[in-house]
Amino acid sequence: MSLDSTQGQANQTLIATLAESSQNPEQQTLAHERELALRSALQKVGRAYRETVILRDIEGFTYEEIATTLGINVGTVKSRLARGRQELKRKLEGSL
């Protein structure tokens, strides 16, 4: 599952869905716990991968904007993003 894949009818990203305030306290608590787990897992991902994942999946930068910001080519952005997401997924699965 990708953090920037769209979810549901509103076509929101997973990150946006997680960030939404829920109406009931149980949903709010679960969302908060998911956010903490995600932040913790992100801290354990390698810096180059973490930067790329954050810029794309949280900040919403395009591949070209990330490439310009980090001073790398678009192909490198794509490979770092794929590897970063894989590493993040492993870290999240390990925390369950």
Side-chain angles (χ1 to χ4, degrees):
M1 174 181 277
S2 170
L3 294 176
D4 67 347
S5 66
T6 57
Q7 307 289 317
Q9 296 175 359
N11 289 330
Q12 292 180 315
T13 63
L14 180 58
I15 276 298
T17 302
L18 291 175
E20 280 185 0
S21 63
S22 303
Q23 293 183 6
N24 95 37
E26 181 181 9
Q27 290 174 334
Q28 287 178 340
T29 300
L30 291 172
H32 180 69
E33 288 176 7
R34 284 191 299 264
E35 182 180 349
L36 290 176
L38 180 59
R39 287 180 186 272
S40 176
L42 268 172
Q43 291 303 314
K44 297 173 186 170
V45 171
R47 180 177 178 209
Y49 300 143
R50 181 174 56 246
E51 289 173 337
T52 308
V53 168
I54 289 172
L55 289 173
R56 177 67 182 159
D57 294 332
I58 296 175
E59 299 296 328
F61 283 37
T62 65
Y63 295 126
E64 293 78 13
E65 290 171 328
I66 296 168
T68 300
T69 300
L70 299 178
I72 57 179
N73 66 47
V74 173
T76 303
V77 170
K78 290 178 181 181
S79 66
R80 284 185 184 179
L81 187 57
R83 290 182 185 136
R85 286 174 175 165
Q86 279 181 324
E87 193 175 327
L88 181 59
K89 181 180 177 183
R90 281 194 302 271
K91 302 290 184 196
L92 287 168
E93 287 172 346
S95 70
L96 297 178

